[in-house]
Amino acid sequence: MHVVGALAGTASALGEYAGHSEGHARFPLVDRAAGSVHQAMTVAELAPGGRVDLHLHAFEEGLYVLEGQLVLEVAGTRETLEADDYVFVERAVAHSLENPGSEAARWLEVGAPQPGADLDDTVFPKGRPPEVETELAYRRERFEDGQLPPPSSALGLAGFGAANVGGASLKMLIERDFGASQFNLMMVEYVEGGLIKEHDHAFEEGFFFLTGEIEAVLDGRTYTLGAGDYCWSGVGSMHSFANRAEKPVRWLETQVPQPPTRHQARFRGEWEGLVRGE
């Protein structure tokens, strides 16, 4: 199972944020309605002067700022975030957002385990928010271009190698060492000719494209995707990517749940060769 779409064609749905925010828009890319069972991937916006009231979640949350400026109030601290800053917020840690700038702010938001259970999993406390015993309430960092390693086949992921990957760079942003226990968020770039052969996983992946253009093959169907487009591959969904263009392509990618330490991918060519006894 897979999903392909464009942010430009996605309708805003405030959901539980209605009545608890101002100048706020939310564009759901991946969620239960799309077929996911593990995550929600959303692009959110705040108009100048906009706000999201103090709230907490029953899931871990990652935010990557795409443009504009955000002020995140969390754990008694006010963090000013700009494009390419990213944050992990622990489960049940109360936080709020506001846009003090003169331009709209936009960010990618990842939640896992998947929101939408029978219980209220996004709560706007009327009084003092509950105190949560945690070693890490939140963590923030900033992505810089120089953090991407030179393009190669060495992605640093178990089961990936030169026979199946080329011309690729990967920078892990939010993962276990960063504080998350439910999901990974990473920055990926393929140079011209970069590719990864057809494979599947025992986890879901979400992709939001930032620059360039990619040829994506998902469950045997071929798509050309560019900036502002997105796709999602479910557990066991075969997919491959190739950069046929002259410029690099870059995207933000989620993995949910966090992959195992071994056998992170099954490449079709390798597996069929093994079955044939090659």
Side-chain angles (χ1 to χ4, degrees):
M1 177 183 289
H2 70 275
V3 169
V4 172
L7 177 61
T10 303
S12 175
L14 276 180
E16 58 275 305
Y17 292 85
H20 299 286
S21 60
E22 185 176 339
H24 188 35
R26 299 180 64 79
F27 303 93
L29 309 182
V30 174
D31 55 13
R32 193 178 305 272
S36 171
V37 298
H38 292 297
Q39 66 176 307
M41 189 170 73
T42 303
V43 169
E45 293 181 355
L46 270 183
R51 60 167 176 80
V52 178
D53 294 341
L54 192 72
H55 62 287
L56 52 93
H57 304 295
F59 48 86
E60 297 178 354
E61 186 176 47
L63 295 85
Y64 188 101
V65 181
L66 301 170
E67 58 188 74
Q69 187 179 85
L70 280 175
V71 171
L72 169 71
E73 187 164 341
V74 57
T77 303
R78 287 175 63 85
E79 297 276 2
T80 299
L81 309 174
E82 298 181 340
D84 296 316
D85 288 335
Y86 57 95
V87 180
F88 168 76
V89 180
E90 174 63 296
R91 173 186 178 274
V93 171
H95 55 287
S96 64
L97 293 162
E98 61 182 83
N99 178 4
S102 58
E103 299 180 353
R106 177 181 287 181
W107 65 97
L108 181 77
E109 195 173 288
V110 183
Q114 187 185 80
D118 291 338
L119 296 174
D120 292 334
D121 51 17
T122 294
V123 178
F124 293 83
K126 295 180 180 179
R128 182 183 178 89
E131 294 185 5
V132 180
E133 292 187 8
T134 178
E135 294 181 2
L136 176 68
Y138 78 100
R139 182 174 175 182
R140 69 163 291 180
E141 291 289 348
R142 179 172 179 80
F143 171 75
E144 304 280 358
D145 284 349
Q147 295 172 358
L148 279 173
S152 70
S153 61
L155 290 179
L157 301 174
F160 294 73
N164 296 301
V165 184
S169 301
L170 181 152
K171 164 64 177 175
M172 195 68 74
L173 304 176
I174 300 176
E175 36 73 56
R176 187 171 285 107
D177 290 341
F178 201 79
S181 70
Q182 304 291 323
F183 69 92
N184 289 343
L185 177 66
M186 63 187 80
M187 182 71 73
V188 181
E189 182 176 275
Y190 284 12
V191 296
E192 179 184 0
L195 59 84
I196 185 167
K197 295 182 180 179
E198 194 176 22
H199 63 288
D200 67 357
H201 307 285
F203 49 86
E204 300 177 2
E205 290 186 310
F207 308 82
F208 182 73
F209 296 93
L210 303 174
T211 60
E213 186 177 276
I214 196 78
E215 179 185 277
V217 180
L218 300 158
D219 297 319
R221 298 183 61 182
T222 301
Y223 305 88
T224 299
L225 304 174
D229 294 334
Y230 63 90
C231 63
W232 168 83
S233 60
V235 173
S237 172
M238 281 285 175
H239 55 288
S240 65
F241 296 100
N243 182 3
R244 312 288 188 194
E246 296 180 355
K247 297 181 180 180
V249 57
R250 183 178 291 185
W251 68 85
L252 288 164
E253 180 174 336
T254 67
Q255 297 178 323
V256 193
Q258 288 178 347
T261 56
R262 297 184 294 124
H263 313 309
Q264 291 188 9
R266 176 182 58 169
F267 286 88
R268 180 187 290 278
E270 286 185 347
W271 181 252
E272 290 181 345
L274 180 65
V275 172
R276 291 191 301 267
E278 297 175 355

